[in-house]
């Protein structure tokens, strides 16, 4: 069972630390039924092979429609199986500092409170890109996201007015009514001032020694394996289909020791080579996250990295691959991927440049 800290025990551990609540979206897969079904299928196939049952072979219909496989389909039939399991939301209350990262808080929870919490991380410095997740609904890297930037209070700081109703009715010209109205307005102003003071005091009491809540969930558009861990193999397979490696005619020549480039040629793709394949751009993309057939912004960025490289000779081939209905044509120029890229790549602008190149060469 997961332990829960009280506010007194948290404050006694570190006087400089404040209380933080992490609201984590958790998921535990149920694989027992699936494993049993696979075991039964294997036993049935073994019995069929031993019995040697001869079946008639039917000829293929020459007029049957051929199925064209989409090269940029997000998931194959074998990968499109969503895991079944238990999904719930769990709150963890810990003490933390404002400069701590969310990854530090998750590691503290895993080591002290709940060892069953699953998440992925490697370097912890924003280089590997393996710890991308949704923080308050937006994909970011857990190792670079600090509590000071993402913690939010549950209680609004704005004061609640008790006389927040709209006045209706006609005005009266009687002096007695005017006196009553003046008295009522003075009383209402004093009451509203008292209410605002009490609301401010309550707000300060609730926010004292308390950061608030940070909501964590896995990346959108990917199959959840466990808790905050997603399956990114569809994204990797799409990138591999675009052949993201240098293809030059003179690579096999032993006389050439290096490929020379001037600074202007290097500047065209230097920023694109900083992509760490974190998947934040695809998690925030409304087209990719909705499940539509789209190659994805990560694959297009890696293709542009070699298209703009002066040493590569397969630029036309890559443009032909991405110039399709499921390639650059499926992008709707929302440019949400540019805002959430942790490496500062303007992905939307790069995709727009690819569309202009494809239109010029077509």
């Amino acid at each position: 069972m997961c332990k829960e800290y009280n506010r007194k025990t948290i404050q006694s551990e570190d006087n400089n630390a404040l209380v933080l609540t992490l609201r984590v979206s958790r998921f535990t897969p149920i694989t027992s039924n699936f494993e049993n079904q696979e075991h039964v299928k294997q036993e049935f196939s073994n019995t069929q092979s031993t019995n040697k049952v001869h079946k008639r072979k039917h000829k293929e219909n020459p007029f049957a429609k051929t199925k064209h496989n989409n090269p940029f389909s997000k998931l194959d039939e074998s990968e499109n199986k969503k895991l079944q399991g238990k999904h719930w939301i769990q709150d963890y209350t810990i003490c933390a500092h404002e400069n701590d990262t969310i990854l530090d808080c998750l590691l503290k929870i895993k080591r002290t409170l709940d060892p069953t919490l699953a998440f992925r991380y490697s370097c912890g410095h924003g280089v590997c890109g393996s710890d991308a997740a949704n923080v308050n609904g937006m994909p970011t890297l857990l190792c670079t996201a600090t509590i000071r930037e993402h913690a939010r209070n549950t209680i609004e700081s704005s004061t609640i007015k008790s006389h927040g109703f709209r006045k209706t009715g006609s005005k009266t010209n009687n002096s007695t009514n005017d006196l009553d109205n003046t008295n009522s307005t003075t009383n209402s102003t004093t009451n509203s001032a008292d209410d605002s003071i009490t609301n401010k005091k309550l707000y300060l009491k609730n926010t004292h020694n308390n950061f608030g809540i940070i909501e964590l969930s896995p990346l959108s558009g990917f199959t959840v394996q466990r808790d905050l861990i997603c399956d990114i193999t569809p994204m990797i397979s799409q990138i591999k289909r675009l052949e993201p490696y240098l293809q030059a005619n003179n690579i096999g020549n032993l006389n050439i020791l290096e490929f020379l480039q001037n600074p202007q040629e290097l500047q065209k793709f230097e920023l694109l080579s900083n992509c760490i394949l974190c998947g934040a751009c695809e998690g925030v993309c409304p087209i990719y996250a909705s499940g539509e057939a789209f190659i994805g912004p990560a694959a297009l960025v890696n293709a542009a990295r070699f298209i703009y490289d002066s040493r590569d000779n397969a630029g036309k081939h890559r443009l032909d691959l991405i110039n399709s209905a499921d390639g650059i044509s499926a992008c709707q120029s929302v440019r949400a991927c540019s805002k959430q890229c942790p490496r500062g790549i303007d992905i939307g602008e790069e995709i727009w440049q690819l569309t202009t190149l494809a239109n010029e060469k077509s």
Side-chain angles (χ1 to χ4, degrees):
M1 296 295 292
C2 175
K3 296 187 294 183
E4 293 183 357
Y5 280 4
N6 295 325
R7 190 177 297 272
K8 293 181 180 179
T9 58
I10 291 173
Q11 292 178 356
S12 63
E13 288 182 357
D14 191 356
N15 294 325
N16 295 324
L18 300 180
V19 179
L20 174 68
T21 301
L22 291 180
R23 184 165 293 171
V24 184
S25 176
R26 303 204 55 187
F27 175 77
T28 301
I30 299 174
T31 58
S32 60
N33 295 329
F34 181 74
E35 290 177 355
N36 291 330
Q37 290 177 2
E38 292 293 329
H39 183 66
V40 171
K41 287 181 181 179
Q42 288 181 359
E43 290 182 352
F44 182 71
S45 62
N46 293 329
T47 54
Q48 280 187 341
S49 61
T50 54
N51 291 332
K52 295 182 180 181
V53 178
H54 297 282
K55 295 182 179 180
R56 293 179 60 185
K57 294 182 180 180
H58 297 280
K59 294 182 180 180
E60 295 181 356
N61 187 4
F63 301 103
K65 294 182 179 180
T66 58
K67 295 182 180 180
H68 298 284
N69 294 325
N70 185 7
F72 299 134
S73 60
K74 187 186 297 186
L75 296 174
D76 297 333
E77 293 181 357
S78 60
E79 297 175 351
N80 201 10
K81 297 178 180 178
K82 292 184 179 180
L83 295 177
Q84 296 181 356
K86 181 182 178 182
H87 176 75
W88 75 100
I89 295 174
Q90 188 169 357
D91 292 344
Y92 296 97
T93 303
I94 60 171
C95 59
H97 298 82
E98 61 178 5
N99 293 325
D100 291 342
T101 62
I102 299 177
L103 180 61
D104 295 334
C105 298
L106 289 175
L107 289 173
K108 187 174 184 179
I109 291 171
K110 191 173 182 65
R111 292 166 183 169
T112 59
L113 295 179
D114 190 1
T116 63
L117 181 62
F119 53 92
R120 186 185 287 122
Y121 74 99
S122 181
C123 69
H125 297 283
V127 179
C128 64
S130 60
D131 59 346
N134 286 336
V135 179
N136 294 330
M138 300 301 291
T140 51
L141 297 179
L142 299 177
C143 57
T144 58
T146 58
I147 298 172
R148 180 175 54 190
E149 296 174 352
H150 295 86
R152 55 189 179 87
N153 292 312
T154 56
I155 302 174
E156 295 180 356
S157 60
S158 61
T159 58
I160 301 171
K161 295 181 180 180
S162 61
H163 59 287
F165 294 97
R166 186 179 61 184
K167 294 182 180 180
T168 58
S170 60
K171 294 182 180 179
T172 57
N173 295 323
N174 295 327
S175 61
T176 56
N177 292 328
D178 293 334
L179 291 172
D180 294 334
N181 289 326
T182 54
N183 292 325
S184 63
T185 52
T186 54
N187 292 325
S188 63
T189 53
T190 54
N191 291 327
S192 63
D194 294 335
D195 291 336
S196 63
I197 292 170
T198 54
N199 287 325
K200 286 181 180 179
K201 288 181 180 179
L202 289 172
Y203 175 72
L204 291 174
K205 286 182 181 179
N206 288 322
T207 57
H208 182 64
N209 294 332
N210 191 356
F211 277 120
I213 295 176
I214 297 177
E215 296 180 354
L216 301 177
S217 60
L219 286 176
S220 305
F222 296 94
T223 304
V224 182
Q225 292 179 334
R226 190 181 186 90
D227 294 342
L228 300 178
I229 300 175
C230 296
D231 186 13
I232 61 172
T233 51
M235 181 183 69
I236 302 299
S237 62
Q238 288 176 350
I239 295 172
K240 287 182 178 179
R241 287 168 184 170
L242 294 180
E243 301 174 0
Y245 49 86
L246 188 64
Q247 298 180 18
N249 295 328
N250 297 324
I251 289 180
N253 192 358
L254 297 177
N255 295 326
I256 298 176
L257 298 178
E258 61 181 353
F259 291 93
L260 299 179
Q261 281 184 331
N262 53 31
Q264 290 77 17
E265 293 174 345
L266 178 63
Q267 190 178 2
K268 292 181 180 179
F269 67 92
E270 186 177 8
L271 183 61
L272 299 177
S273 61
N274 294 330
C275 178
I276 55 177
L277 303 179
C278 61
C281 57
E282 301 198 351
V284 77
C285 179
I287 304 169
Y288 189 89
S290 61
E292 297 182 8
F294 180 45
I295 187 174
L300 293 175
V301 165
N302 283 271
R305 179 256 176 273
F306 291 98
I307 289 172
Y308 296 145
D309 196 344
S310 61
R311 303 167 296 178
D312 189 79
N313 296 324
K316 294 181 180 180
H317 175 62
R318 292 191 181 91
L319 283 175
D320 293 335
L321 289 176
I322 64 176
N323 191 11
S324 61
D326 302 327
I328 54 178
S329 300
C331 179
Q332 297 181 2
S333 298
V334 180
R335 299 203 176 191
C337 51
S338 300
K339 297 179 181 179
Q340 296 303 125
C341 181
R343 306 299 292 177
I345 302 173
D346 193 355
I347 304 173
E349 182 64 25
E350 297 298 334
I351 295 174
W352 180 257
Q353 294 295 331
L354 286 177
T355 54
T356 55
L357 280 176
N359 293 329
E360 289 176 358
K361 293 184 179 180
S362 60

